[in-house]
Amino acid sequence: SLSSSRTTASVMPPKRRRRDESGRQQGATGEGEEPSDGKYHAVRASMEEVLKGLEQEGQRAAGERAQLLAEAHEAAAKVTADAKSQAEERTRDAEKQIEDGMRDVEKSRAALEEEKATMEKAHTFQTSKMLLNVGGHRFETSRVTLTSIPDTYLASLFSGRFELTTDVEGAYFIDRDGRHFHHILNCLRDCGRFELSSDLTEGQRKELAVEVEFYGLLDHM
């Protein structure tokens, strides 16, 4: 019985340890279930937070990309507008240069035509030089001057409708007072601008008025 008691005494303690160990293992297992749920929720919350941050980052990136695109479109529009404005300005400058060139050409052409007309007029004057003997006073003038004012005595006389003769010196004789005939010629040469000299006496003015009326120049002197 002692041996069995010893055997029992020696065997019994390990059984208690197994129960204690089993209890501890169960306790450990029971205590581990709650931390596993907490970790899951923590990890899930962390992942959701990370996903939310990524989503926000994506939204910010999309906003920045949209802003960059808008700025790029605005810059491109400005460059296009500037290029168009510069092209229009160059076109206006070219058109102005062409217009200025055309005006210069027209001015040069007008100047040439005027010079040509002046030369032709001078040639006509030279080739139509005429000698006049007015009451014994000799004058040199041109057919153009004598016929410059229509419907006057001299314009009619030298129109070519009448056959005229000259003296031995080639002068056409006019039987009028030749002392004032140079005023008549000056009136024909500068019609509208001619003015009598203030040195003429009253008597000379009266004599000249008679000649002016004869030649049909009352309205021009």
Side-chain angles (χ1 to χ4, degrees):
S1 65
L2 289 173
S3 62
S4 63
S5 298
R6 289 191 200 97
T7 304
T8 303
S10 61
V11 171
M12 289 301 292
K15 289 183 179 180
R16 286 196 297 269
R17 283 198 297 271
R18 284 198 296 270
R19 287 195 297 269
D20 293 340
E21 290 175 358
S22 175
R24 282 197 298 269
Q25 289 175 357
Q26 291 177 355
T29 304
E31 290 177 358
E33 289 178 357
E34 292 183 358
S36 297
D37 293 340
K39 286 182 180 180
Y40 171 76
H41 290 299
V43 170
R44 182 174 181 179
S46 176
M47 290 179 65
E48 289 178 352
E49 184 176 357
V50 170
L51 290 174
K52 184 177 180 181
L54 290 174
E55 183 179 359
Q56 291 177 350
E57 185 66 24
Q59 291 176 352
R60 283 195 298 270
E64 291 176 355
R65 184 168 58 254
Q67 183 178 358
L68 290 174
L69 287 174
E71 292 176 353
H73 286 304
E74 184 179 357
K78 185 176 184 302
V79 170
T80 302
D82 292 342
K84 182 178 179 181
S85 177
Q86 292 175 0
E88 291 176 350
E89 185 177 357
R90 286 194 293 270
T91 301
R92 287 194 297 269
D93 291 340
E95 290 176 349
K96 185 176 183 301
Q97 291 178 359
I98 292 173
E99 291 177 357
D100 292 342
M102 293 297 294
R103 280 195 293 268
D104 292 339
V105 170
E106 290 298 327
K107 287 181 180 178
S108 299
R109 182 181 299 172
L112 288 174
E113 291 294 334
E114 184 178 357
E115 183 178 357
K116 179 181 177 182
T118 302
M119 293 177 64
E120 289 178 352
K121 185 177 180 180
H123 176 72
T124 302
F125 269 93
Q126 292 174 359
T127 56
S128 64
K129 184 176 71 172
M130 302 182 69
L131 299 177
L132 300 180
N133 180 356
V134 184
H137 296 267
R138 302 183 68 82
F139 298 92
E140 290 187 6
T141 183
S142 68
R143 185 183 298 274
V144 174
T145 296
L146 294 173
T147 59
S148 60
I149 301 179
D151 302 325
T152 59
Y153 173 82
L154 293 173
S156 176
L157 180 64
F158 295 102
S159 63
R161 298 194 301 268
F162 306 102
E163 185 177 353
L164 304 176
T165 58
T166 59
D167 59 17
V168 293
E169 295 179 354
Y172 294 95
F173 178 74
I174 299 175
D175 190 12
R176 298 298 297 179
D177 188 350
R179 293 176 300 167
H180 307 296
F181 191 73
H182 65 283
H183 294 301
I184 303 298
L185 288 179
N186 288 336
C187 176
L188 294 173
R189 290 164 179 158
D190 298 303
C191 183
R193 296 180 298 171
F194 173 72
E195 293 183 2
L196 286 173
S197 173
S198 59
D199 296 337
L200 291 176
T201 64
E202 187 66 24
Q204 290 173 334
R205 287 179 178 273
K206 289 181 180 180
E207 292 174 353
L208 178 58
V210 173
E211 298 302 312
V212 169
E213 183 178 4
F214 172 79
Y215 291 113
L217 297 171
L218 282 175
D219 295 334
H220 304 280
M221 185 179 291

